[in-house]
Amino acid sequence: MLYTRKGDSGTTKTFDSKPGERISKSSCRTESLGVLDELNSFLGLVKVKSTGVDWSVGGESLVETVFWVQNCLFIVQAEVAGSEKRIMVDKIEVMETWIDEIEKELPPIKTFFISGGTELAALLDISRTLVRKVERRIIKAQEEDSIVIGPETLAFLNRLSSLFYALARLSNHKSGIKEIPPSY
């Protein structure tokens, strides 16, 4: 069933809710879950727009890479919702390997760059900013003691924004589009 009517009063429950316990849909925890859902949904668009990209990351197509990230985000979402599921360090290491591989192809960073270039680069850059939003919401919820998040999860999210930044740069690089620094 797609509806239960249980949330009609503006509350929801999580994995670790006690019987009869519900939390506000405006709580930091629920906001964290919402922005994770927003990010994962946006990555669905990125994945669709990645179809036909002829370069890969660590031997994986960009579609496969984005799909892997989406699956990892479900683990993060489960953790925020009170499940015992956790991001493990191996997932961070996978992303670090991918980022290191991408950086070998790109010129070194000497300045900030104006977003854009290819449509895919712009979408990947939006993904980066959505990850940063997720980080801020989760940290706020943790600071307010409504959730406990493992250090690996925070490291994963921090690395994920770096991965999307690297992928956005790579998309432009592979398309021969020069990065443009801001003119202050």
Side-chain angles (χ1 to χ4, degrees):
M1 176 172 280
L2 294 176
Y3 63 90
T4 63
R5 296 189 176 102
K6 293 177 183 174
D8 290 354
S9 64
T11 63
T12 190
K13 65 180 198 167
T14 57
F15 287 123
D16 60 352
S17 296
K18 295 176 180 89
E21 179 184 53
R22 298 183 66 81
I23 61 172
S24 172
K25 288 184 178 181
S26 70
S27 72
C28 286
R29 185 182 209 181
T30 307
E31 179 67 20
S32 297
L33 291 166
V35 294
L36 278 160
D37 187 33
E38 180 182 350
L39 170 61
N40 213 333
S41 296
F42 188 79
L43 290 177
L45 175 62
V46 173
K47 189 171 57 185
V48 168
K49 294 291 188 174
S50 299
T51 304
V53 169
D54 62 354
W55 46 267
S56 64
V57 179
E60 302 286 329
S61 71
L62 187 55
V63 169
E64 292 166 327
T65 301
V66 172
F67 182 75
W68 180 88
V69 168
Q70 287 182 294
N71 274 299
C72 291
L73 289 172
F74 272 94
I75 297 169
V76 175
Q77 203 162 13
E79 181 179 2
V80 171
S83 164
E84 292 186 19
K85 296 191 181 308
R86 299 286 180 267
I87 288 289
M88 298 299 180
V89 76
D90 64 310
K91 302 227 182 285
I92 299 163
E93 291 168 347
V94 165
M95 285 193 296
E96 288 174 348
T97 300
W98 289 343
I99 294 166
D100 292 344
E101 179 183 309
I102 292 168
E103 282 190 311
K104 289 176 186 171
E105 285 193 55
L106 299 172
I109 299 171
K110 295 182 179 173
T111 182
F112 290 106
F113 302 111
I114 295 176
S115 296
T118 67
E119 178 183 33
L120 182 57
L123 293 171
L124 290 162
D125 207 36
I126 292 169
S127 300
R128 175 190 58 79
T129 66
L130 290 173
V131 173
R132 290 298 190 200
K133 184 195 295 189
V134 166
E135 275 186 295
R136 290 188 302 270
R137 297 303 192 280
I138 287 176
I139 290 167
K140 182 160 179 68
Q142 188 166 320
E143 287 172 349
E144 293 185 359
D145 295 326
S146 61
I147 61 173
V148 176
I149 297 296
E152 294 84 3
T153 299
L154 293 176
F156 173 84
L157 292 169
N158 194 39
R159 219 65 83 249
L160 184 57
S161 64
S162 297
L163 175 63
F164 285 133
Y165 182 66
L167 288 170
R169 290 188 70 215
L170 184 62
S171 177
N172 282 334
H173 181 73
K174 294 282 190 181
S175 297
I177 295 177
K178 185 176 171 20
E179 294 173 312
I180 300 171
S183 56
Y184 292 98

